[in-house]
């Protein structure tokens, strides 16, 4: 079986893939709709959004088949990583890369494959948006362009979710630091108030303590109203 060579920087590729936290997540309609659209426009019975992990190929969306993953020995998508454009195999039984692939042999085997690579902004391949058919075929230029555009849309969605998750993490970190700072300041003011020798100083520190408490309550309310908890 013709296995595709490993990506030259596979460690960085896998790290990038895991940074999106998409592996083994539940099916989602927004990805399923893209896969359905790709299959419909390309007139293919099967469409997949696949991601290539260290030892498996996992499908975020799979239309036309029931499987959610395959072994790398069954992966056609890894061959797509070797090029910069869409990999199209007009007849899998006439191509040395796929002629003995278990997915492509037998009466129900796939005879056609086309996949657009899902790449990071750094050019690291994560997987593909691919379509498969059970008879030899050829995509039209419009169908190829559609696969490219839909693959770019998948990556745009993933990048947006990653950015939102990072922003949420930063917001929580800021909240934690503000709380700690207010608590530390409140402790210092209480300590100073206990040591105050003059009534005016004690009253001023008490007023300051009240204002710190008010700021802490306001921060808590703002955080809650913004969906922080």
């Amino acid at each position: 079986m013709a296995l595709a060579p490993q990506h030259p920087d596979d460690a960085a590729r896998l790290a990038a893939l895991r940074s999106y936290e998409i592996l083994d997540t539940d099916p989602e309609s927004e990805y399923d709709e893209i896969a359905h659209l790709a299959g419909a426009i390309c007139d293919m019975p099967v469409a997949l959004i696949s991601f290539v992990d260290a030892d498996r190929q996992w499908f975020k969306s799979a239309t036309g088949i029931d499987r959610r993953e395959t072994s790398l020995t069954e992966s056609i998508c890894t061959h797509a990583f070797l090029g910069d454009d869409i990999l199209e195999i007009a007849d899998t039984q006439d191509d040395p890369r796929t002629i003995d692939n278990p997915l492509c042999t037998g009466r129900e085997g796939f005879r056609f494959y086309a996949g657009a690579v899902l790449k990071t902004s750094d050019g690291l391949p994560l997987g593909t948006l691919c379509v498969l058919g059970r008879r030899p075929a050829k995509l039209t230029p419009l169908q190829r362009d559609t696969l490219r555009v839909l693959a770019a849309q998948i990556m745009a969605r993933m990048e947006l979710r990653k950015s939102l998750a990072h922003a949420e993490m930063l917001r929580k970190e800021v909240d934690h630091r503000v709380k700690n700072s207010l608590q530390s300041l409140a402790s210092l003011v209480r300590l100073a108030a206990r040591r105050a020798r003059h009534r005016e100083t004690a009253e001023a520190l008490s007023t300051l303590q009240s204002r710190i408490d008010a700021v802490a309550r306001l921060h808590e309310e703002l955080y809650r109203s913004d969906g922080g908890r």
Side-chain angles (χ1 to χ4, degrees), residues 32 35-36 46-49 59-68:
D32 290 341
H36 278 293
V46 175
L48 307 170
I49 297 175
F59 306 140
K60 174 62 177 175
S61 181
T63 65
I65 61 172
D66 295 330
R67 301 178 66 174
R68 290 304 304 276

Side-chain angles (χ1 to χ4, degrees), residues 76-93:
I76 306 175
C77 296
T78 51
H79 292 283
F81 288 2
L82 302 179
D84 294 327
D85 196 18
I86 290 174
L87 171 64
E88 183 174 355
I89 301 177
D91 187 349
T92 61
Q93 289 303 290

Side-chain angles (χ1 to χ4, degrees), residues 6 18 35 58 92 94-95 101 103 113 129 137 150 153 173 183 199 212-213 221 224 229:
Q6 190 177 66
R18 290 175 182 136
W58 178 80
T92 61
D94 195 33
D95 192 296
N101 186 307
L103 293 179
Y113 171 91
L129 168 64
L150 292 178
Q153 286 299 308
E173 177 64 21
Q183 289 170 357
R199 186 182 66 182
I212 293 172
D213 291 342
E221 288 300 321
R224 287 180 177 176
R229 293 183 184 176

Side-chain angles (χ1 to χ4, degrees), residues 8-26:
D9 198 354
D10 206 50
R13 188 191 72 78
L14 290 171
L17 174 59
R18 290 175 182 136
S19 73
Y20 290 92
E21 299 183 344
I22 196 169
L23 291 174
D24 298 312
T25 55
D26 292 333

Side-chain angles (χ1 to χ4, degrees), residues 144-184:
R144 291 171 65 90
D145 285 344
T146 299
L147 276 185
R148 292 189 190 97
V149 170
L150 292 178
Q153 286 299 308
I154 291 170
M155 287 306 304
R157 289 169 185 265
M158 290 171 58
E159 290 288 356
L160 177 60
R161 289 192 177 192
K162 184 178 178 180
S163 296
L164 290 174
H166 182 64
E168 178 64 15
M169 181 184 68
L170 289 177
R171 187 178 71 146
K172 289 181 178 179
E173 177 64 21
V174 169
D175 173 69
H176 179 70
R177 293 188 179 188
V178 169
K179 285 182 178 178
N180 284 348
S181 296
L182 289 172
Q183 289 170 357
S184 297

Side-chain angles (χ1 to χ4, degrees), residues 174-205:
V174 169
D175 173 69
H176 179 70
R177 293 188 179 188
V178 169
K179 285 182 178 178
N180 284 348
S181 296
L182 289 172
Q183 289 170 357
S184 297
L185 182 58
S187 296
L188 289 173
V189 171
R190 284 194 295 269
L191 180 62
R194 285 197 295 267
R195 294 178 176 177
R197 297 183 179 180
H198 304 286
R199 186 182 66 182
E200 292 81 1
T201 302
E203 290 176 350
L205 290 171

